[in-house]
Amino acid sequence: MSPSPAPIPTLLSEPHHDGSARYVSNLTPRLGDTVDVLVRVPLECEVDAVHVRTSPDGEQQFARARRVRTTSTDAWWKASLVCHNPVTNYRFLLAGGPTKYAWLNGTGVHLRDVPDASDFRLVAHDKPAPVWAEGSVVYQIFPDRFARSARADRRPLPDWAVPASWDDPVDTSPGVIAHQLYGGDLDGVVEHLDHLESLGVDVVYLTPFFPGRSNHRYDASSFESVDPLLGGDAALRRLTTAAHERGMKVLGDFTTNHTGDAHEWFVTASGPGGKSTPERDYYIWEGGQYVSWLGVPTLPKLNHLNHDLRRRIFEDRSGVVRKWLSRSGGLDGWRVDVANMTGRWRATDVNHEVAAQMRDALGRWAPDALLVGEHVHDYTVDMPGDGWHGVMNYAGFCKPVWTWLRDDTGDPNFLGAPVPVPLLDAGAVVETMRDFTSRIAWSSLVHSFNLVGSHDATRVRTLVGDDDRMVDAAAGLLFTLPSMPMLTYGDEIGMEGTFGEDGRRPMPWDESRWDTRILATYRGMISARRRSVALRRGGLRWVHASGDAIVFLRETADEVALVHVARAAHEPVVVERRHLGGIEDGASAYGPAPKLGARAVTLSATGPGVRIWTWKPTDGGAKHVRRRGH
């Protein structure tokens, strides 16, 4: 009889803190509040003193922690911090044991001094993110391609449109790609809310519904009405009402960076006598020519140095932000297109001011509204906590997942990068995720969209190649890591597309064309998330990341979820059971059960797959639940 594999060293033997409610007494403090922070230190570390370093007003300061609880495996230490500044950076200094000196920050334990960039953060800004958003599942809809109601047949087509039947292939030729119109509308979305409800969706996110001269509508010609091709203002109200009746929220999509060249403001600014109009200064001009987004002439760039422009957008009762969050539209928040470029041009950078003003306006006029900014690369410097509630997490989640799960025979290009993304092992993937997420506050992380694709990117089913079980691994990470997971319409039925525009295919409502195995996977994963408070709101404790396996815990004081994601068969991951108190009384939330031995838990895989095992912990620790909300 062969002996059982020996336990391997895991991150469970390292001190841990993650900024979640398990370790922080108040996730939404006000300036001047005192907040307790906990750190969990395994006894084998032999730590005999813990200090917490902050830097109020730029000068470092240390608070001594006290041991408040000891279990059979861990010592829990607590310190009290005062939120003296709007953002309080903190890290733990651990003394004693073999190392005698170690720092713990958002990327883990370091036996040397490290910069402050990855410190944990307490954010004491006004107007916190809405409570409803944390843990929600977001479903992205491109209105022209999701569903077409019978009403669409009665609407005249605009002169720019190239009409297409619902089953026609997407034409990606340069002259047609933005003008091919399938005629999907908002009443079509209403007619298919049953599908979203059965999937377990909490939030419907619509790409732009303003009128434009393209199928994508990022070239808005007005912010004062809903495109008649989509059914007009009344159709949006029908959709938000129907969604709210089912307990769903609805987000709109607004471009703060530019308008279309047919926008009423730009028509005034560029027309006869335009130089003397107030609207002229709403845009950026150089040498008599207007500046456009990335040189695209139909997308003139807005000038956010002009305070009247910002007043009309953010403050006016009839402005885009307030109007559509009120009874006129019934929206529950905004996703902001090209958020990273807004207010930036040459020597000008008022991006932070614009984000903060929009957040402030939402807090005053629609305090339960969510604000998420689009950002493709390093978003961390744009997330001080008083602007966007969160971002589309391309850099800290989507791209790392691609580097782990992409087809090794393919050549995937990530949103215009000049070379394909590499194929990496799990260790590098998790290191990338930790690097990005360590540089923002926990509240910003959990109000960001994690995604494995979007209407701008390769479809996940195409990304992974021939083995559709790799979609399961992608979904496993998407629906179990801290975030608001976002899927794009059709991902759940295996829709394909080699790049963004090609992926914007019409949703096939003939269910015989659906991949029902993938659909069952998505439904099962979302169901597991909805049933588990740990998956929706728990902290994150990495256990193992190497080669073809990623293992982590989501933890609250009342529940632990063990998540094991495999991209291929791998050698067993064997975890000491003493770190997983209460696991023997758990149950499978998704996938096969782990092998529970007397002293170890063994996680193995024969191919791509996911398992989620949940239980009530028996290892003690303080229970922090207080938070400020609406």
Side-chain angles (χ1 to χ4, degrees):
M1 182 175 179
S2 58
S4 299
I8 61 176
T10 70
L11 297 173
L12 296 180
S13 295
E14 294 186 356
H16 179 69
H17 176 92
D18 57 29
S20 71
R22 182 81 193 272
Y23 296 90
V24 177
S25 64
N26 185 359
L27 294 179
T28 55
R30 288 186 167 91
L31 207 61
D33 283 355
T34 297
V35 177
D36 294 333
V37 295
L38 291 167
V39 62
R40 178 180 191 159
V41 183
L43 297 179
E44 63 256 43
C45 295
E46 300 178 17
V47 167
D48 54 33
V50 175
H51 301 265
V52 183
R53 198 213 74 167
T54 57
S55 53
D57 298 332
E59 179 59 44
Q60 70 174 355
Q61 178 176 300
F62 290 88
R64 188 176 183 89
R66 56 191 178 90
R67 184 184 281 200
V68 294
R69 182 177 177 85
T70 302
T71 71
S72 60
T73 55
D74 302 298
W76 291 78
W77 299 75
K78 181 169 73 173
S80 297
L81 308 179
V82 175
C83 296
H84 178 75
N85 301 118
V87 178
T88 298
N89 284 27
Y90 65 98
R91 64 167 83 166
F92 297 90
L93 178 60
L94 312 172
T99 60
K100 296 184 173 58
Y101 179 99
W103 292 108
L104 172 64
N105 68 4
T107 56
V109 176
H110 305 274
L111 306 183
R112 57 174 177 83
D113 289 337
V114 290
D116 294 356
S118 293
D119 281 2
F120 303 107
R121 291 164 175 78
L122 297 173
V123 177
H125 293 298
D126 288 337
K127 306 173 183 66
V131 173
W132 61 259
E134 186 175 351
S136 296
V137 174
V138 182
Y139 191 90
Q140 182 192 40
I141 290 177
F142 191 83
D144 184 57
R145 309 293 164 86
F146 183 66
R148 179 185 173 108
S149 75
R151 299 179 191 225
D153 296 337
R154 303 193 293 270
R155 297 180 189 127
L157 294 180
D159 59 1
W160 56 262
V162 178
S165 298
W166 201 254
D167 289 327
D168 287 350
V170 172
D171 188 336
T172 59
S173 58
V176 178
I177 193 167
H179 299 127
Q180 190 177 28
L181 195 73
Y182 287 86
D185 60 2
L186 299 183
D187 287 308
V189 179
V190 174
E191 292 171 3
H192 291 282
L193 287 176
D194 283 346
H195 172 67
L196 274 62
E197 188 172 33
S198 71
L199 193 60
V201 167
D202 302 296
V203 180
V204 179
Y205 152 42
L206 303 168
T207 60
F209 51 71
F210 297 119
R213 293 185 59 78
S214 67
N215 53 39
H216 55 70
R217 298 182 171 87
Y218 285 105
D219 58 342
S221 58
S222 175
F223 296 133
E224 297 183 2
S225 63
V226 175
D227 194 335
L229 288 171
L230 296 177
D233 297 8
L236 177 62
R237 205 63 188 92
R238 287 192 291 270
L239 171 56
T240 54
T241 298
H244 292 161
E245 288 173 350
R246 296 170 183 261
M248 299 177 190
K249 307 291 186 180
V250 182
L251 301 182
D253 196 333
F254 168 52
T255 303
T256 52
N257 180 72
H258 56 263
T259 68
D261 63 349
H263 195 283
E264 52 213 13
W265 297 344
F266 188 74
V267 170
T268 298
S270 58
K275 289 183 179 181
S276 61
T277 63
E279 287 82 1
R280 179 77 174 189
D281 197 42
Y282 288 5
Y283 297 89
I284 300 173
W285 303 81
E286 289 186 344
Q289 301 296 315
Y290 64 90
V291 173
S292 61
W293 176 70
L294 300 182
V296 179
T298 57
L299 303 176
K301 186 173 173 66
L302 291 167
N303 172 27
H304 283 278
L305 290 177
N306 185 292
H307 292 283
D308 187 54
L309 167 69
R310 281 155 63 174
R311 177 189 58 78
R312 291 186 68 173
I313 292 175
F314 302 126
E315 308 295 339
D316 281 4
R317 183 184 297 274
S318 59
V320 59
V321 171
R322 291 181 61 184
K323 176 178 179 176
W324 300 108
L325 293 173
S326 70
R327 293 181 182 178
S328 296
L331 293 179
D332 301 286
W334 291 103
R335 177 266 194 184
V336 177
D337 181 58
V338 201
N340 55 301
M341 294 184 70
T342 295
R344 288 177 168 141
W345 177 252
R346 298 196 188 278
T348 297
D349 188 347
V350 292
N351 182 272
H352 182 204
E353 289 181 28
V354 173
Q357 184 173 2
M358 190 169 181
R359 166 82 164 265
D360 182 68
L362 262 64
R364 284 183 285 118
W365 308 116
D368 236 11
L370 180 69
L371 180 60
V372 175
E374 180 191 31
H375 207 306
V376 172
H377 50 97
D378 182 7
Y379 52 80
T380 59
V381 296
D382 289 345
M383 293 280 281
D386 62 345
W388 324 120
H389 289 131
V391 295
M392 297 185 76
N393 195 2
Y394 281 105
F397 182 83
C398 182
K399 194 172 183 180
V401 171
W402 277 33
T403 64
W404 196 50
L405 298 178
R406 79 168 186 85
D407 178 17
D408 60 2
T409 64
D411 206 26
N413 179 280
F414 191 82
L415 298 175
V419 297
V421 297
L423 184 62
L424 303 175
D425 79 345
V429 169
V430 169
E431 185 178 8
T432 303
M433 291 181 177
R434 294 185 76 174
D435 204 359
F436 278 96
T437 58
S438 70
R439 297 167 187 249
I440 59 174
W442 180 263
S443 59
S444 297
L445 171 62
V446 298
H447 291 101
S448 292
F449 291 175
N450 275 0
L451 62 160
V452 292
S454 71
H455 72 297
D456 285 326
T458 300
R459 289 275 185 173
V460 62
R461 179 62 191 89
T462 300
L463 175 80
V464 301
D466 293 338
D467 192 345
D468 68 352
R469 295 176 302 165
M470 297 286 271
V471 175
D472 300 15
L477 295 172
L478 179 65
F479 294 116
T480 60
L481 283 167
S483 72
M484 298 177 67
M486 190 207 88
L487 64 149
T488 300
Y489 76 95
D491 281 350
E492 75 278 13
I493 60 169
M495 278 182 62
E496 297 197 40
T498 56
F499 58 97
E501 297 281 3
D502 181 50
R504 299 178 190 179
R505 303 175 186 182
M507 178 80 168
W509 290 108
D510 176 359
E511 296 185 19
S512 67
R513 297 167 59 186
W514 292 8
D515 188 319
T516 55
R517 195 203 67 77
I518 290 179
L519 179 60
T521 295
Y522 272 74
R523 283 179 171 158
M525 295 275 189
I526 295 173
S527 176
R529 183 182 181 90
R530 292 173 69 91
R531 297 193 311 269
S532 169
V533 65
L535 292 179
R536 294 194 314 276
R537 296 183 177 273
L540 172 62
R541 196 175 179 198
W542 296 103
V543 176
H544 173 85
S546 179
D548 298 314
I550 295 175
V551 182
F552 53 91
L553 303 178
R554 299 293 310 280
E555 299 178 305
T556 68
D558 300 315
E559 185 186 51
V560 178
L562 170 69
V563 181
H564 167 214
V565 182
R567 71 173 176 186
H570 60 78
E571 291 296 316
V573 177
V574 184
V575 183
E576 290 183 277
R577 187 163 155 175
R578 65 190 178 89
H579 289 300
L580 305 171
I583 191 172
E584 66 278 3
D585 296 321
S588 175
Y590 187 89
K595 181 181 177 181
L596 303 179
R599 295 190 175 186
V601 175
T602 302
L603 306 169
S604 57
T606 58
V610 181
R611 65 159 51 86
I612 307 170
W613 183 263
T614 60
W615 70 93
K616 185 176 179 61
T618 60
D619 58 355
K623 184 176 182 178
H624 287 326
V625 295
R626 185 165 63 97
R627 71 180 71 202
R628 177 161 50 101
H630 306 291

